[in-house]
Amino acid sequence: MADHQFHLKAHFPGLRNSVGTIESGQLHTKVSIPPEMNGPGVGTNPDEMLLGAAATCYIITLAAMMERSKVKKKDLSMDSTAIVNETNGVLTYKKIIHKPTIVLTNRDNERDRDLALRLAKKAEASCMISRAIQGNVDIELEVTIK
């Protein structure tokens, strides 16, 4: 199996509270330190991007697993939250909480309900980003099936 390569160009000409840019494929944005960490809050930041990577990897993995398992859904959406802790000036990315909402075509279909819940849990363990951060960042799931 061949390796896949992804490239990113970053430019940050100023000091801590300056604004830089990143470019990678379809991603072109400004970057800076978030206001929660006394930064200018322009563009995105590493905390949002790690949360975005984890969330998009998880939801795409879940959608693919549901499709392969023929779970009939009307919709799949998710809210995700990252918890970053600061202790003695040291920042630690502690936890990500994914809250997927799966809307089934037939909510009375017990097979689809049970399978959707199992797949929601399995997708977290199968997602490439979840596996990459495993052991460093806890990931919690709060699944809603309608």
Side-chain angles (χ1 to χ4, degrees):
M1 189 69 62
D3 289 344
H4 301 282
Q5 294 187 7
F6 299 90
H7 300 277
L8 182 136
K9 290 185 184 222
H11 185 233
F12 204 87
L15 302 175
R16 179 194 186 276
N17 282 344
S18 298
V19 176
T21 58
I22 58 169
E23 296 181 22
S24 179
Q26 299 299 311
L27 176 64
H28 301 268
T29 189
K30 293 179 179 179
V31 293
S32 71
I33 295 174
E36 296 87 347
M37 298 173 183
N38 299 315
V42 176
T44 191
N45 59 69
D47 309 285
E48 289 176 347
M49 289 191 296
L50 182 57
L51 179 60
T56 54
C57 183
Y58 173 81
I59 202 166
I60 291 169
T61 301
L62 177 54
M65 289 177 147
M66 291 177 75
E67 179 181 347
R68 279 194 303 272
S69 298
K70 298 186 180 1
V71 174
K72 294 179 179 72
K73 67 174 174 59
K74 282 186 192 173
D75 194 29
L76 174 60
S77 61
M78 187 168 71
D79 288 329
S80 294
T81 302
I83 309 296
V84 177
N85 178 268
E86 183 174 358
T87 304
N88 299 325
V90 177
L91 295 167
T92 303
Y93 211 108
K94 292 190 66 154
K95 181 190 316 187
I96 293 174
I97 306 163
H98 292 313
K99 299 176 183 176
T101 299
I102 303 166
V103 181
L104 298 174
T105 303
N106 178 2
R107 68 184 197 118
D108 295 327
N109 182 329
E110 197 169 322
R111 175 218 175 251
D112 278 4
R113 288 180 67 78
D114 292 345
L115 187 52
L117 184 58
R118 281 201 318 275
L119 292 174
K121 293 174 183 173
K122 186 177 179 182
E124 187 273 313
S126 302
C127 163
M128 175 179 67
I129 302 299
S130 295
R131 290 193 326 267
I133 63 176
Q134 185 178 24
N136 291 308
V137 179
D138 293 332
I139 298 183
E140 291 182 10
L141 291 177
E142 297 176 17
V143 182
T144 301
I145 300 177
K146 298 180 177 180

